């Protein structure tokens, strides 16, 4: 889905929900120590964070005192169709900005009438592999203590070697907003004290290099995907309504080229009149690794669903 720069009203009460920093956190000098935190959001959510004309992100920066940056449209974290938000500043400022963003996204999750359950979403932090040891601890002692103290679920993914040059891992947090913010507070305080983490603060804010190591093409025959010897080239055919094919292709083929380059998959669209059996849906054949196919399919569905939402407005 394209970044929908829609206007929403921020709730001033939300930031007050953050639990106080844990007693074990360093004193006031740590609050002023510059740090950063990165996490993933969908392309649609990124548009919500930006707001109409950048109003929301400007407001969040003003409220928190932190700097908020987003990766470019369709510059995704490798193996996903999610963009990266980077927040930098003092620990308290960064935490407040994170909470403003998460609370904003939670407020937009649709709920059933009469459902009093607190909406939840998973938060995926991006952490350099070199700094993960500081939040895992010997025998997992530190991460276990974080889980017990915050009551949030915390899971650290293994380093994905499918993408050359990728040195980051994902830390997935589940739970209520308060539980997740407590966990983020604990994790960020620990990371900020790790010299390996601070050294990566000014690393290039881009994953383009990881994608550019893949071989990909739009029309060439016999394109091989060799970024992981364990990947097997597969082919999947999906149907897209004929009237929406133009959205997938884009002006001058721009959209389909972006999807192919970002996902690493090769796409082929059937000719006019060549439909999926029993439908008026055109065929899109996606070829590549399972990971590449999933990423390409997600991006196609985002474009189509965005168009469908606008048609129903």
């Amino acid at each position: 889905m394209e970044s929908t720069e829609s206007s929403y009203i921020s709730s001033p009460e939300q930031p007050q929900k953050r639990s106080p920093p844990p007693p074990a956190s360093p004193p006031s000098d740590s609050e002023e120590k510059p740090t950063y935190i990165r996490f993933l959001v969908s392309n649609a959510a990124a548009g919500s964070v930006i707001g109409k004309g950048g109003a929301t992100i400007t407001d969040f920066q003003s409220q928190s005192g932190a700097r908020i940056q987003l990766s470019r449209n369709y510059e995704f974290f490798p193996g996903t169709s999610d963009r990266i938000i980077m927040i930098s500043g003092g620990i308290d400022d960064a935490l407040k900005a994170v909470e403003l963003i998460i609370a904003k996204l939670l407020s937009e999750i649709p709920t059933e009438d009469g459902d009093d359950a607190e909406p939840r979403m998973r938060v995926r932090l991006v952490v350099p592999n070199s700094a993960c040891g500081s939040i895992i601890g010997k025998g997992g002692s530190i991460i276990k203590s974080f889980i017990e103290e915050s009551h949030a679920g915390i899971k650290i993914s293994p380093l994905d070697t499918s993408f050359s040059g990728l040195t980051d891992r994902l830390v997935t947090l589940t739970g209520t907003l308060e539980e997740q913010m407590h966990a983020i507070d604990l994790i960020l305080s620990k990371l900020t004290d790790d010299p390996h983490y601070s050294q990566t603060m000014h690393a290039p804010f881009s994953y383009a290099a990881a994608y550019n190591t893949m071989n990909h093409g739009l029309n060439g025959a016999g394109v091989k995907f060799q970024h992981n010897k364990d990947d097997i080239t597969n082919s999947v055919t999906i149907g897209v309504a004929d009237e929406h094919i133009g959205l997938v292709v884009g002006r001058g083929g721009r959209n389909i080229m972006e999807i192919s380059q970002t996902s690493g998959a090769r796409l082929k669209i059937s000719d006019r009149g060549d439909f999926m059996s029993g439908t008026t849906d055109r065929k899109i054949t996606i070829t590549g690794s399972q990971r590449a196919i999933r990423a390409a399919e997600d991006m196609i569905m985002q474009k189509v669903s965005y168009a469908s939402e606008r048609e129903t407005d």
Side-chain angles (χ1 to χ4, degrees):
M1 187 184 298
E2 298 281 2
S3 290
T4 54
E5 297 189 344
S6 304
S7 177
Y8 297 94
I9 298 174
S10 304
S11 171
E13 293 81 18
Q14 290 287 8
Q16 303 303 321
K17 288 187 178 181
R18 184 170 73 84
S19 57
S25 295
S28 58
D29 61 332
S30 173
E31 296 174 9
E32 302 304 319
K33 185 184 292 186
T35 189
Y36 78 98
I37 186 168
R38 292 174 294 164
F39 59 100
L40 305 185
V41 293
S42 69
N43 214 17
S48 180
V49 172
I50 294 168
K52 188 175 184 179
T56 303
I57 195 170
T58 300
D59 180 46
F60 286 176
Q61 289 186 123
S62 177
Q63 286 191 56
S64 66
R67 184 184 184 193
I68 305 173
Q69 298 170 274
L70 282 92
S71 63
R72 289 174 296 183
N73 199 11
Y74 292 116
E75 186 169 282
F76 300 145
F77 185 83
T80 76
S81 54
D82 293 327
R83 290 167 70 179
I84 307 97
I85 290 183
M86 178 171 170
I87 298 172
S88 53
I91 289 182
D92 278 2
D93 292 347
L95 289 170
K96 185 168 185 178
V98 171
E99 185 169 17
L100 284 166
I101 292 170
I102 296 175
K104 165 76 171 165
L105 299 179
L106 284 171
S107 72
E108 294 167 10
I109 296 176
T111 56
E112 298 289 337
D113 290 339
D115 185 1
D116 296 328
E118 184 175 346
R120 299 188 180 203
M121 58 175 275
R122 66 174 182 172
V123 177
R124 290 187 292 174
L125 307 180
V126 180
V127 177
N129 184 52
S130 59
C132 281
S134 66
I135 59 174
I136 294 173
K138 188 174 182 179
S141 58
I142 293 177
I143 194 170
K144 287 176 184 174
S145 70
F146 287 176
I147 293 170
E148 290 173 2
E149 187 171 340
S150 68
H151 301 292
I154 307 175
K155 183 178 180 182
I156 302 179
S157 69
L159 181 64
D160 192 339
T161 58
S162 301
F163 299 94
S164 175
L166 179 62
T167 58
D168 292 323
R169 293 163 72 175
L170 295 178
V171 178
T172 302
L173 309 176
T174 55
T176 64
L177 174 62
E178 184 175 355
E179 291 165 349
Q180 289 176 321
M181 286 309 305
H182 196 162
I184 293 170
D185 197 331
L186 291 165
I187 290 169
L188 186 57
S189 296
K190 192 71 175 176
L191 288 172
T192 301
D193 290 333
D194 185 337
H196 293 104
Y197 190 71
S198 59
Q199 288 170 5
T200 61
M201 182 183 295
H202 303 294
F205 185 48
S206 170
Y207 290 96
Y211 285 116
N212 290 340
T213 60
M214 296 186 207
N215 295 314
H216 50 252
L218 285 171
N219 302 309
V223 176
K224 295 181 180 180
F225 300 83
Q226 298 175 326
H227 56 280
N228 188 326
K229 64 182 181 181
D230 296 322
D231 280 347
I232 300 174
T233 299
N234 296 282
S235 184
V236 170
T237 299
I238 63 173
V240 171
D242 196 27
E243 63 267 26
H244 291 153
I245 281 293
L247 295 169
V248 178
V249 175
R251 181 174 295 178
R254 179 179 177 181
N255 289 354
I256 196 169
M257 186 176 296
E258 283 182 336
I259 293 171
S260 178
Q261 290 179 345
T262 302
S263 67
R266 181 158 49 95
L267 283 74
K268 182 179 179 182
I269 298 176
S270 65
D271 296 331
R272 289 182 179 178
D274 183 5
F275 300 132
M276 298 283 284
S277 180
T279 74
T280 56
D281 291 347
R282 297 270 289 280
K283 303 173 187 174
I284 300 182
T285 301
I286 309 170
T287 305
S289 67
Q290 290 284 9
R291 183 194 308 279
I293 289 172
R294 284 196 301 269
E297 194 169 356
D298 285 345
M299 293 172 68
I300 291 169
M301 290 302 106
Q302 284 177 352
K303 288 193 173 293
V304 172
S305 61
Y306 176 57
S308 300
E309 286 171 10
R310 295 193 65 174
E311 288 170 358
T312 56
D313 286 344

